[in-house]
Amino acid sequence: GALAVLPLAVGQGGGRELAMPAVLGFIVLSVAMLSYFGMWSGVWVEFKTSGATPRVIFFPKYIDWMVTTPLLLAMLALAGGADTPTLVALVGNDALMVLCWLVGATLTAPYKYVWWVLGVLFFAVVLVLVFKVVDRSPNSNMRALGLILALSWAMYPALWVLGSEGTGALGLSQEVAVTVLTDLCAKVLFTILVITWGAEG
């Protein structure tokens, strides 16, 4: 996915310079690739048996989110012509969302669910801002981009609470499989569409 973005970037730049959405997209997909390789290698993957539900915490996932999700929002904001205060609000609330879920993942019930709820509240603010960008943009493709982002990102809090960090309702293999599919939509598909549709009116 990351390598596929560079030709698109060069093409948009007329062969002379890289397009900013493609630069951000390349970073997003590269970080995601490194994150998956790190988790597969067992880097910062912890097994915790405290509490009623034994859980596996994938810390590279949160590092990934802390880097990639603000960049994805920045790509959307650039494509939609958002102003600087909106961009800062998007990134700030996104960072708070990720931090809440990270803290919650390290705790046991009931405290972890309090942090999860706080993260969901910040996520709701992010969604409100995303649709504000979509509604104000003259780009006819922004509504589809906003829906793809909102629907795919909505899977993350659901996976958190249903996966090993939350209730453990999903098996680990099921959680990983759904997370991979979600990332393919939220990162790979979204990035390619922002690059190809972002310049269109």
Side-chain angles (χ1 to χ4, degrees), residues 2-3 27-39 64 68:
L3 294 177
I27 295 171
V28 165
L29 298 182
S30 297
V31 169
M33 175 190 67
L34 294 173
S35 170
Y36 271 100
F37 182 68
M39 289 185 285
D64 174 337
T68 62

Side-chain angles (χ1 to χ4, degrees), residues 40-186:
W40 177 76
S41 305
V43 177
W44 293 333
V45 177
E46 290 192 9
F47 298 86
K48 288 188 176 288
T49 56
S50 58
T53 307
R55 59 202 187 280
V56 182
I57 304 175
F58 296 96
F59 286 103
K61 175 177 70 177
Y62 293 99
I63 297 173
D64 174 337
W65 286 356
M66 189 59 73
V67 176
T68 62
T69 55
L71 294 182
L72 289 167
L73 291 171
M75 291 170 65
L76 184 76
L78 286 172
D83 54 29
T84 301
T86 300
L87 175 58
V88 172
L90 278 167
V91 172
N93 282 281
D94 175 74
L96 291 168
M97 172 191 77
V98 175
L99 285 173
C100 285
W101 291 338
L102 170 58
V103 172
T106 65
L107 301 175
T108 57
Y111 308 106
K112 65 180 180 180
Y113 295 117
V114 174
W115 285 96
W116 177 78
V117 170
L118 290 172
V120 170
L121 292 176
F122 288 118
F123 175 54
V125 175
V126 169
L127 288 183
V128 170
L129 293 168
V130 163
F131 287 112
K132 174 183 174 183
V133 171
V134 167
D135 289 339
R136 293 185 176 181
S137 174
N139 190 325
S140 59
N141 296 313
M142 287 299 295
R143 186 168 297 277
L145 291 173
L147 279 175
I148 291 170
L149 185 144
L151 292 175
S152 58
W153 282 33
M155 291 298 297
Y156 292 128
L159 283 168
W160 193 103
V161 77
L162 294 174
S164 64
E165 292 154 326
T167 61
L170 287 176
L172 186 59
S173 59
Q174 295 172 315
E175 179 185 353
V176 170
V178 177
T179 300
V180 170
L181 292 174
T182 301
D183 279 345
L184 286 174
C185 292

Side-chain angles (χ1 to χ4, degrees), residues 10-35:
V10 174
Q12 281 194 359
R16 294 183 297 275
E17 61 182 14
L18 296 174
M20 180 58 75
V23 172
L24 297 178
F26 177 77
I27 295 171
V28 165
L29 298 182
S30 297
V31 169
M33 175 190 67
L34 294 173
S35 170

